[in-house]
Amino acid sequence: MGVHVPATPQGSPMKDRLNLPSVLVLNGCGITCAGDENEIAAFCAHVSELDLSDNKLEDWHEVSKIVSNVPHLEFLNLSSNPLNLTVLERTCAGSFSGVRKLVLNNSKTSWETVHTILQELPDLEELFLCLNDYKTVSCSPVCCHSLKLLHITDNNLKDWTEIRKLGVMFPSLDTLVMANNHLTTIEDSEDSLARLFPNLRSISLHKSGLDSWEDIDKLNSFPKLEEVRLLGIPLLQPYTNEERRKLPLLSLLTSRLIAQRQKLWNGRNNTAANQPFRFWLSASLGSCMQEAVLAVQQTEHGALCTLAPQEHAFAMLPSITKLNGSVIVDGEREDSERFFIRYYMDLPQHEVPFRYHDLVTKYGKLEKLAVVDLRPQSSAKVEVHFNDQVEEMTIRLDQTVAELKKQLKTLVQLPTSSMLVTYFDHEAPFGPEEMKYNSRALHSYGIRDGDKIYVDSKAK
């Protein structure tokens, strides 16, 4: 999409001005204030997404002046602005009423300001509050029924009593991303969890402090849960990669059978797919509109995604269809359930989770799987025949014929150049094979325990 100067009646204030694209990215431009509001209104009549991240805006009044002159604004990114220095007043917050997606990452925005936003933005659907150093959650006096997605990653929320306040404030929440917090346990009962988050479909607990299978099992209490992220939690650290994937899924596989990428928005990227422009502005947004420099960017517009093994998780999560961003297929689910039975079958009864008995009812008592080692054999015990002597010797199969001759030199008392070495596979139908290529590796002969090697002196 190029720059378009619309035809307007003579004398119109829009004449000879740029019609800016619907996605406007102004991050890292040193903006401190709104500037000329008339300029903003003239240029931003069609803007619906505005990225003001990583600027120097510290006064909500200035932000309000900008937003009030962008009539079609739906997405606003204010990340990494020092907005903790002032509190948003309700008289200013009214200008945000059309915003549906609001990013306040690393702005240290106070809960008082968040409450004002929730009251004045009736259509707010997505809210990003990452990196704000929250240790507690302050409950809003009113519920926000419109909010569907909340990102509150990289804070210091350790106590479940704080997290439950989010369920009270956002009863319609569909996606809750709270990775990189320090939550250690989920304390509510199953009934309480179902009431707190009745519509929760996706939750990310990546790098939380959860260390109990009881906590993983409690995720089953969310009646609509389908997607879970559980990477990097202490509970799974002692397990092997295979166990980490299978066991948690089985815990969440009990009560409901409903049949990757979880996007972690850290604000908008500084590009636009259908509006490939970059606008460089100085301290005043309005006054510099006419000096905007357009640089075409042939890049994609999208969210920042974050993205181990997860078989262990499958065993504990029966309702989910995605775990750690991967779709769970039916065969993988059954494999995990059977793995879970075998994992716990020899443990004392007091250590066996209740889920185990459910699965035994479903599949019956399973036999242990045979242990099959498919790794190549690294050594073999062979018989070395020389003249009328027979010596049993263990040889490395990764060595060459030349190295084997050096090993045999002490035993047979012959120089390597005078040795005639023959390999005999006791199960092969073709008889002995001369080992005449010094650079050939022994494993290529298929040597196994019990085979024979004959050493003779070469005829002179």
Side-chain angles (χ1 to χ4, degrees):
M1 178 177 180
V3 178
H4 173 59
V5 180
T8 57
Q10 190 170 2
S12 166
M14 284 298 295
K15 187 176 182 180
D16 299 327
R17 297 197 179 189
L18 297 175
N19 182 14
L20 296 184
S22 60
V23 178
L24 185 56
V25 179
L26 304 169
N27 64 313
C29 296
I31 300 170
T32 60
C33 60
D36 190 332
E37 294 183 57
N38 292 326
E39 293 287 343
I40 299 173
F43 281 97
C44 297
H46 302 288
V47 172
S48 60
E49 299 190 16
L50 177 59
D51 185 348
L52 294 173
S53 62
D54 198 23
N55 282 290
K56 299 178 181 179
L57 292 165
E58 59 184 45
D59 191 337
W60 280 102
H61 286 87
E62 294 300 318
V63 178
S64 178
K65 289 178 185 178
I66 297 171
V67 174
S68 62
N69 288 285
V70 187
H72 300 293
L73 189 64
E74 294 186 354
F75 172 88
L76 177 61
N77 186 356
L78 295 171
S79 297
S80 299
N81 282 280
L83 292 168
N84 59 314
L85 301 178
T86 60
V87 175
L88 177 62
E89 299 175 0
R90 294 193 65 175
T91 54
C92 294
S95 59
F96 294 79
S97 59
V99 174
R100 295 177 179 272
K101 301 176 183 179
L102 180 61
V103 185
L104 297 172
N105 296 339
N106 196 33
S107 63
K108 308 303 185 279
T109 301
S110 67
W111 280 110
E112 182 180 355
T113 293
V114 173
H115 296 166
T116 302
I117 290 170
L118 297 178
Q119 293 177 59
E120 298 300 323
L121 276 65
D123 299 320
L124 185 64
E125 297 176 356
E126 299 182 7
L127 180 61
F128 298 79
L129 298 173
C130 309
L131 295 161
N132 283 334
D133 296 332
Y134 295 139
K135 295 181 180 179
T136 61
V137 175
S138 176
C139 208
S140 174
V142 295
C143 295
C144 180
H145 291 275
S146 61
L147 197 74
K148 305 296 182 184
L149 180 147
L150 175 64
H151 278 252
I152 194 164
T153 66
D154 292 280
N155 284 287
N156 296 305
L157 300 173
K158 300 179 181 179
D159 197 328
W160 180 258
T161 57
E162 304 303 323
I163 306 304
R164 71 190 320 276
K165 296 174 186 176
L166 301 176
V168 174
M169 283 196 289
F170 310 118
S172 301
L173 200 62
D174 172 271
T175 301
L176 175 59
V177 183
M178 45 184 294
N180 296 325
N181 280 280
H182 305 288
L183 180 68
T184 56
T185 187
I186 300 175
E187 296 174 345
D188 275 307
S189 66
E190 294 182 5
D191 291 341
S192 296
L193 292 173
R195 289 194 300 270
L196 281 172
F197 295 96
N199 297 295
L200 192 64
R201 184 195 58 81
S202 174
I203 188 170
S204 173
L205 295 167
H206 173 66
K207 289 191 176 179
S208 65
L210 296 179
D211 60 1
S212 165
W213 286 115
E214 287 75 12
D215 291 321
I216 304 302
D217 192 46
K218 283 184 179 179
L219 297 178
N220 285 310
S221 304
F222 303 136
K224 295 185 179 180
L225 189 68
E226 297 178 358
E227 185 172 356
V228 175
R229 287 181 180 268
L230 288 171
L231 299 177
I233 62 174
L235 173 64
L236 299 183
Q237 295 310 309
Y239 296 96
T240 65
N241 288 348
E242 182 184 15
E243 293 166 353
R244 289 178 190 176
R245 182 173 175 87
K246 289 184 176 177
L247 292 179
L249 174 61
L250 283 171
S251 175
L252 293 173
L253 283 177
T254 306
S255 51
R256 313 172 301 280
L257 288 172
I258 308 172
Q260 56 152 86
R261 292 257 178 215
Q262 168 67 39
K263 293 182 179 178
L264 177 60
W265 285 64
N266 213 1
R268 288 282 182 160
N269 202 357
N270 61 351
T271 55
N274 60 339
Q275 316 293 345
F277 300 96
R278 164 100 183 190
F279 299 85
W280 299 90
L281 296 152
S282 59
S284 172
L285 176 61
S287 63
C288 295
M289 276 293 182
Q290 293 179 335
E291 300 174 8
V293 177
L294 304 181
V296 178
Q297 306 286 324
Q298 300 299 332
T299 48
E300 285 189 322
H301 173 64
L304 294 180
C305 298
T306 58
L307 303 162
Q310 48 200 12
E311 283 89 347
H312 202 135
F314 286 4
M316 304 292 284
L317 304 169
S319 66
I320 66 168
T321 57
K322 279 187 178 180
L323 182 65
N324 297 332
S326 300
V327 175
I328 302 167
V329 297
D330 290 339
E332 191 172 19
R333 190 184 300 275
E334 181 176 343
D335 288 345
S336 298
E337 291 177 334
R338 290 178 175 273
F339 178 91
F340 189 83
I341 292 175
R342 292 188 173 100
Y343 185 87
Y344 282 105
M345 63 193 310
D346 292 330
L347 294 183
Q349 282 299 308
H350 68 275
E351 296 183 18
V352 174
F354 184 76
R355 176 65 177 154
Y356 171 83
H357 302 289
D358 289 339
L359 293 176
V360 169
T361 301
K362 180 177 179 179
Y363 294 106
K365 294 212 170 199
L366 303 180
E367 297 292 335
K368 290 185 178 180
L369 295 178
V371 177
V372 179
D373 189 353
L374 298 179
R375 292 174 299 178
Q377 191 172 349
S378 60
S379 62
K381 186 177 288 187
V382 297
E383 291 181 0
V384 177
H385 293 253
F386 176 67
N387 292 335
D388 295 328
Q389 301 178 33
V390 178
E391 293 285 343
E392 200 171 66
M393 177 183 288
T394 299
I395 59 174
R396 288 187 5 257
L397 299 181
D398 60 345
Q399 64 183 334
T400 62
V401 171
E403 291 170 325
L404 173 64
K405 288 180 179 180
K406 290 180 181 178
Q407 186 179 356
L408 295 172
K409 182 178 178 180
T410 304
L411 178 66
V412 300
Q413 297 296 310
L414 285 175
T416 57
S417 58
S418 300
M419 289 184 193
L420 179 64
V421 182
T422 306
Y423 162 63
F424 179 73
D425 180 352
H426 63 282
E427 294 183 359
F430 306 112
E433 177 181 1
E434 183 182 350
M435 304 175 78
K436 56 185 177 180
Y437 301 108
N438 285 333
S439 61
R440 184 174 173 179
L442 297 187
H443 63 74
S444 66
Y445 290 94
I447 299 175
R448 292 167 294 179
D449 291 339
D451 289 349
K452 298 176 182 179
I453 291 178
Y454 294 88
V455 182
D456 295 296
S457 178
K458 289 182 179 180
K460 294 184 179 180

